[in-house]
Amino acid sequence: MNKSDFLNMLKNRVLIMSGAMGTELQKKKYLEGVTIPEELNIKFPERVSEIYSSYINAGADIVLTNTFGANSIVLKQHGLLDKAEDIIKSGIDLIREISPHTIVAGDISSTSEYIEPLGALSFDEAYETFAVQSSLMQKYRADVVIIETMTEIKETKAAILATKDNFKGAIIVSMTFSKEGTTVTGTDLKSFIAMAESMGVDALGLNCSVGSKDLAALTKVLCENTSLPISFKPNAGIPELINRETKFLETKEEFTEASLKAYSYGANMLGGCCGTNPEFIKSLSNKLKNKAPIIRNIKNKYFLSTRTKAVDINEIKRPTLIGERINPTNRKKFQEELIMGNLSTIKDEARSQTRYGANILDVNMGVPGTDEIKLLVNAVNQLQEIVSVPLCIDSSNPKALEQAVKNCTGRPIINSVNGEQAKLNVILPIAKRYGTALIALTTDDKGIPKTAQGRLKIAEKILNSADCCGLERKNIIFDYLVLSVSSSPEQIQETLKAMRESKKIYPDCKLVLGISNVSFGLPSRQTINSTFLKMAVDAGLDFAIANPYEKWEIDDPFAKNLLENKDKGAAKYMSVFASFKKQTPKTEVKKLSLDEQLYLAVINGNKESITGILDQIISIDSDPFKTVNDNVLKALNIVGERFAAKEYFLPQIIMSAQAAQRAFAVVKTILKKETASSTRKVIMATVKGDMHDIGKNIVGAVLESYGFDVIDMGINVDSQAIIYKAQEINPIAIGLSALMTTTMPEMETIIKLKNTNNISAKIIIGGAAVTEKFAKEIKADAYAKDAMEAAAYIKTL
């Protein structure tokens, strides 16, 4: 089935999707004899066929292949890398053999690893992993691909990019959220929409994590903010362990009722995730199969985004302010810091500009003598984790631009391209590939045209080139270029004329200007800048690249006269402002103590500034280790509180942890103090049979932020291996995680082995299905519902 046929089908009728694969295999005890569910495709294919058949017989139009974890990273962990092609081929062929007319959805999910800077996996490594999996989906003729149960936006981006490059059919992308509508790394629903929609996926969806009622409420947000088709695949509630058996307590009636609600909001692909079974799908099919989709009238959105926030430009009062201060041009100290790899200033500028009202941050790392690609990517990686406003990536180097936008967790702006055909040929495909907005300057190799008509002619050329490469016109933001009123007073009105005309003939394209150019060479520059800004907004300006610290409420008649070219030689303006001297408000800036500097460096995750602060502390402090310990732990308590309050997410936790670790490492090295001991060591592991590690990773990051030495043994860890490691290193605690109720009994096995071997470490357990009651039953030392509870308990040890 080709993409257009599938999408046309979705316009005309609701499609029913299959239900859970993993929990059905567990319930039937079909996972015996294999290391992971995907191995069944080649070892016991009849077991997989049985479940496929049950969903087809229940009325499923779309059946997901048993290839959820069939990516090279997961398969390699289980010695199955050389079986990847056979596993995927069989997963597809088994459906075809049962029912040639059933829509085959090639199932792709997470690698279970985080991409830099949150983890060790590079974006390119993630891309290659998904490229292999999606190319095999294409080779063996899956009808569509569904990328599902994704929790991290950057990994989702890599999966989308790889699948679009290697698969010709429709692509459905589904993420999993908490009932509050955020992922563990802070992404909200609109940020997901902004990134995925801009990259050209064919449908969006939600699955797993929560029960059907909560997921239906989240689906409403999706349906209200995108016109793309929507898939809805909830769990049958949150699993509970009752009498040592996994139970999903939500009934098929409750599931169907919530599915009908999701349908009423606009979902047109509906199925089930964990805990659902053929009876659920049959009930769903009886109510919704072949019904006409709900027509959604979506108000036009223009999203730009980061990991944690999407901004609808159409909803912001014009102009949208692009902060211009992250630019080293003519800033010697800033340049010296960047040459040393110190990004503290740009992080401070980012926070400050955002506080002063910047809606977007322009990021320019053009410093002669540096590796701009490395510097720009590093800046993007760090900035997008400390501020929530979108980024405008500013570079004349196409390679630096591509690497930077590739590493953006949201939807950024590229700044910029112009009418030179050679540049258009390079930059437009980058914007198209990564789904960015693009600032286009109306100049070319002949320079800036003197007339509005000349600039509009370049704009037309740029749009024609965008049409040829498939970049939608709405993604172009035109800069009709403002010159200094001191040297080219007649040009100001040509700029405004071009903007007004552009709004008429290219209504989908937005407008931007670098405001401060207009006042170059004149006194009281902000008077001119602010007055001109109001004139530009009246002409249709959408974005202003400007200094957010300046006063923008000024509207001066003398400046306006000058800008309208009614003040020849700026005579009247100069008579009023010639003696103007910029007044800098005299505010007393409190000089921070070294203790305060260290404290704030950890709070803000400024690890680059740690060494300099520590050098000063060590030179004057009789007990620098106590100073470090007191201030770092005080800061980390605040970080922990912000995490618990959902003001911080995993990225901020990791950055603060890195700053804290550097502080302890520096003082330890310089003082030659050996502080590593068993009193700080904690083992973390996901128990045998369980492949989930998100929760464990969060707990580990929080514990590291408190200065503990975390030994992460990974997923699917054998009980005896945990005991051997505990005997080797003598930790104070062993943290055990399990998401699936079927693997929770392993926790009891480990506790018994610990007691048999007289290991003193305390055992703390947690996970989605784990309860305090279960912890008491198996005689665990403690239960933690989240990372902060885990940290609070281990700190008491």
Side-chain angles (χ1 to χ4, degrees):
M1 176 181 290
N2 62 42
K3 181 189 294 191
S4 60
D5 288 342
F6 177 72
L7 296 179
N8 284 332
M9 189 182 296
L10 278 177
K11 290 177 184 176
N12 296 313
R13 64 187 179 94
V14 168
L15 297 178
I16 304 300
M17 307 174 84
S18 53
M21 174 63 73
T23 52
E24 282 296 281
L25 292 170
Q26 291 168 3
K27 183 173 71 177
K28 294 175 179 291
K29 303 192 184 306
Y30 282 178
L31 292 176
E32 293 176 3
V34 294
T35 55
I36 54 174
E38 292 77 11
E39 190 180 7
L40 290 168
N41 295 356
I42 55 175
K43 200 167 182 181
F44 301 108
E46 67 281 357
R47 299 179 186 176
V48 178
S49 291
E50 181 187 321
I51 293 176
Y52 285 163
S53 295
S54 67
Y55 285 125
I56 293 169
N57 293 335
D61 301 297
I62 304 172
V63 174
L64 277 63
T65 58
N66 184 38
T67 55
F68 182 88
N71 63 70
S72 56
I73 291 175
V74 173
L75 293 176
K76 186 177 181 181
Q77 290 171 349
H78 299 283
L80 293 169
L81 185 58
D82 61 332
K83 302 295 183 184
E85 185 162 355
D86 292 338
I87 286 171
I88 290 173
K89 179 181 185 300
S90 179
I92 293 170
D93 288 348
L94 290 171
I95 300 173
R96 294 258 188 256
E97 291 167 7
I98 299 163
S99 176
H101 303 296
T102 294
I103 299 167
V104 178
D107 196 9
I108 291 175
S109 191
S110 172
T111 64
S112 292
E113 294 190 20
Y114 282 127
I115 296 177
E116 298 167 330
L118 300 188
L121 191 68
S122 74
F123 187 95
D124 290 340
E125 287 170 335
Y127 171 91
E128 287 302 324
T129 296
F130 293 121
V132 171
Q133 196 174 4
S134 56
S135 65
L136 290 172
M137 299 294 183
Q138 176 64 35
K139 181 176 179 179
Y140 293 108
R141 300 180 302 107
D143 295 307
V144 301
V145 159
I146 179 165
I147 301 166
E148 67 162 349
T149 325
M150 303 298 284
T151 60
E152 201 277 304
I153 196 80
K154 200 169 186 180
E155 186 185 34
T156 307
K157 183 175 184 176
I160 292 170
L161 195 62
T163 305
K164 282 182 66 66
D165 286 347
N166 293 281
F167 184 76
K168 295 178 182 177
I171 300 170
I172 307 163
V173 180
S174 180
M175 289 191 74
T176 181
F177 292 83
S178 69
K179 67 179 181 180
E180 292 80 19
T182 57
T183 69
V184 292
T185 54
T187 297
D188 66 6
L189 288 157
K190 291 181 181 178
S191 300
F192 166 45
I193 294 168
M195 184 279 292
E197 188 175 55
S198 70
M199 292 190 69
V201 304
D202 301 293
L204 298 178
L206 301 175
N207 77 291
C208 206
S209 186
V210 296
S212 59
K213 185 177 179 181
D214 289 328
L215 202 70
L218 300 180
T219 299
K220 185 174 187 287
V221 178
L222 234 59
C223 291
E224 290 173 343
N225 286 281
T226 179
S227 57
L228 289 178
I230 300 294
S231 74
F232 174 76
K233 289 179 71 249
N235 288 347
I238 302 298
E240 294 186 26
L241 195 68
I242 300 174
N243 296 326
R244 304 301 170 89
E245 285 189 21
T246 303
K247 300 289 184 183
F248 287 86
L249 300 183
E250 189 172 288
T251 66
K252 65 182 179 183
E253 289 78 16
E254 291 170 322
F255 168 83
T256 304
E257 182 183 352
S259 298
L260 287 169
K261 186 70 74 175
Y263 163 73
S264 75
Y265 297 141
N268 50 348
M269 287 177 283
L270 298 102
C273 205
C274 302
T276 61
N277 59 44
E279 287 301 310
F280 281 66
I281 302 307
K282 184 177 180 180
S283 175
L284 192 61
S285 178
N286 289 341
K287 294 286 187 180
L288 288 172
K289 190 177 178 74
N290 293 327
K291 284 183 74 83
I294 299 296
I295 296 173
R296 286 177 281 148
N297 296 311
I298 308 300
K299 188 177 178 181
N300 187 33
K301 307 285 183 181
Y302 195 100
F303 283 129
L304 297 170
S305 67
T306 56
R307 178 190 297 281
T308 59
K309 185 179 181 181
V311 177
D312 183 0
I313 301 303
N314 292 339
E315 294 293 321
I316 293 179
K317 181 181 176 182
R318 289 188 303 132
T320 300
L321 184 61
I322 302 177
E324 66 183 0
R325 295 285 298 164
I326 301 178
N327 190 323
T329 304
N330 298 323
R331 298 170 71 182
K332 185 178 178 183
K333 185 169 183 266
F334 189 5
Q335 290 182 5
E336 290 172 352
E337 286 180 356
L338 293 178
I339 290 170
M340 297 296 292
N342 186 346
L343 301 184
S344 294
T345 295
I346 73 165
K347 289 193 279 190
D348 290 341
E349 278 284 9
R351 292 188 186 96
S352 181
Q353 287 187 95
T354 303
R355 282 197 303 272
Y356 275 84
N359 307 110
I360 298 168
L361 297 177
D362 190 77
V363 183
N364 184 310
M365 292 287 106
V367 180
T370 63
D371 182 342
E372 186 185 3
I373 296 176
K374 182 178 179 181
L375 201 55
L376 189 57
V377 169
N378 196 13
V380 164
N381 276 337
Q382 298 215 29
L383 287 177
Q384 63 193 359
E385 307 303 357
I386 63 168
V387 291
S388 61
V389 298
L391 302 181
C392 180
I393 311 300
D394 188 353
S395 175
S396 58
N397 181 340
K399 291 183 179 179
L401 280 175
E402 179 161 22
Q403 290 301 314
V405 297
K406 181 170 72 175
N407 279 278
C408 276
T409 51
R411 183 177 189 235
I413 301 173
I414 287 177
N415 187 11
S416 58
V417 73
N418 61 33
E420 296 176 40
Q421 195 60 53
K423 291 183 178 178
L424 290 169
N425 292 343
V426 174
I427 304 298
L428 290 176
I430 295 174
K432 163 68 175 171
R433 179 171 174 75
Y434 297 98
T436 74
L438 173 63
I439 292 175
L441 312 179
T442 52
T443 182
D444 56 18
D445 47 2
K446 296 177 184 177
I448 303 172
K450 293 183 178 180
T451 65
Q453 211 53 43
R455 296 178 204 186
L456 288 164
K457 189 173 180 181
I458 294 176
E460 183 180 6
K461 175 187 177 182
I462 291 169
L463 289 178
N464 288 337
S465 295
D467 293 342
C468 290
C469 88
L471 180 65
E472 290 186 79
R473 292 187 170 204
K474 68 180 181 181
N475 294 317
I476 302 295
I477 305 169
F478 280 121
D479 186 340
Y480 283 100
L481 299 166
V482 60
L483 302 177
S484 172
V485 69
S486 63
S487 59
S488 306
E490 73 288 346
Q491 288 293 302
I492 305 304
Q493 292 307 308
E494 291 299 316
T495 296
L496 297 175
K497 181 180 176 182
M499 291 168 63
R500 286 190 288 267
E501 191 65 21
S502 182
K503 280 293 182 182
K504 293 177 186 175
I505 59 178
Y506 309 128
D508 291 339
C509 300
K510 296 196 180 295
L511 304 178
V512 65
L513 285 173
I515 299 300
S516 61
N517 296 339
V518 72
S519 62
F520 186 78
L522 289 168
S524 188
R525 293 187 64 183
Q526 191 56 25
T527 301
I528 298 173
N529 292 345
S530 180
T531 303
F532 175 67
L533 178 61
K534 290 173 174 57
M535 296 169 70
V537 169
D538 289 342
L541 188 71
D542 298 289
F543 298 88
I545 301 175
N547 185 341
Y549 307 138
E550 297 285 6
K551 293 181 179 180
W552 292 101
E553 68 275 7
I554 303 169
D555 192 359
D556 184 84
F558 292 98
K560 189 173 182 183
N561 237 17
L562 176 63
L563 292 163
E564 290 176 345
N565 200 20
K566 296 175 182 177
D567 182 8
K568 301 302 178 184
K572 292 179 182 176
Y573 182 84
M574 292 299 290
S575 69
V576 175
F577 293 101
S579 60
F580 174 85
K581 291 184 180 180
K582 184 172 181 179
Q583 300 296 315
T584 303
K586 290 187 177 180
T587 55
E588 192 170 331
V589 179
K590 179 188 174 186
K591 184 173 175 61
L592 297 176
S593 68
L594 290 173
D595 285 35
E596 291 169 323
Q597 290 178 46
L598 179 60
Y599 171 79
L600 288 173
V602 175
I603 289 271
N604 295 326
N606 283 345
K607 67 178 180 180
E608 300 91 346
S609 60
I610 290 290
T611 302
I613 297 169
L614 261 292
D615 286 345
Q616 295 180 69
I617 288 174
I618 288 168
S619 68
I620 62 173
D621 198 324
S622 61
D623 191 358
F625 191 83
K626 183 179 186 303
T627 299
V628 169
N629 197 61
D630 290 349
N631 287 287
V632 169
L633 293 184
K634 181 173 72 172
L636 291 172
N637 281 328
I638 298 298
V639 171
E641 289 171 9
R642 291 180 182 179
F643 179 69
K646 298 192 183 301
E647 296 171 15
Y648 273 17
F649 293 93
L650 187 58
Q652 292 79 25
I653 286 285
I654 289 174
M655 291 178 71
S656 291
Q658 290 171 343
Q661 288 162 359
R662 179 166 292 187
F664 282 119
V666 168
V667 74
K668 175 179 164 183
T669 301
I670 294 176
L671 298 180
K672 299 185 177 354
K673 283 193 176 183
E674 181 52 62
T675 61
S677 73
S678 61
T679 61
R680 307 294 293 178
K681 292 181 179 178
V682 178
I683 289 174
M684 292 295 302
T686 300
V687 298
K688 186 177 180 180
D690 205 311
M691 309 299 164
H692 301 86
D693 65 353
I694 295 298
K696 170 181 65 63
N697 292 347
I698 295 173
V699 175
V702 172
L703 290 175
E704 286 182 339
S705 79
Y706 280 102
F708 289 99
D709 181 10
V710 176
I711 295 85
D712 188 343
M713 296 186 68
I715 59 174
N716 190 29
V717 185
D718 183 78
S719 302
Q720 193 62 58
I722 294 171
I723 297 303
Y724 287 152
K725 178 59 72 173
Q727 289 173 325
E728 176 190 341
I729 67 172
N730 189 28
I732 59 165
I734 300 170
L736 302 177
S737 175
L739 183 71
M740 302 184 298
T741 51
T742 51
T743 60
M744 285 164 53
E746 281 292 313
M747 294 175 164
E748 186 173 19
T749 300
I750 295 166
I751 290 169
K752 289 177 177 177
L753 284 171
K754 185 206 84 144
N755 294 335
T756 300
N757 287 275
N758 297 317
I759 293 169
S760 61
K762 301 294 186 181
I763 289 191
I764 180 169
I765 67 172
V770 178
T771 64
E772 188 166 12
K773 180 173 177 288
F774 177 73
K776 289 177 180 176
E777 285 177 5
I778 65 172
K779 296 181 172 55
D781 295 292
Y783 157 77
K785 69 177 182 181
D786 57 29
M788 297 316 302
E789 280 196 3
Y793 172 74
I794 294 176
K795 282 164 64 181
T796 67
L797 305 180

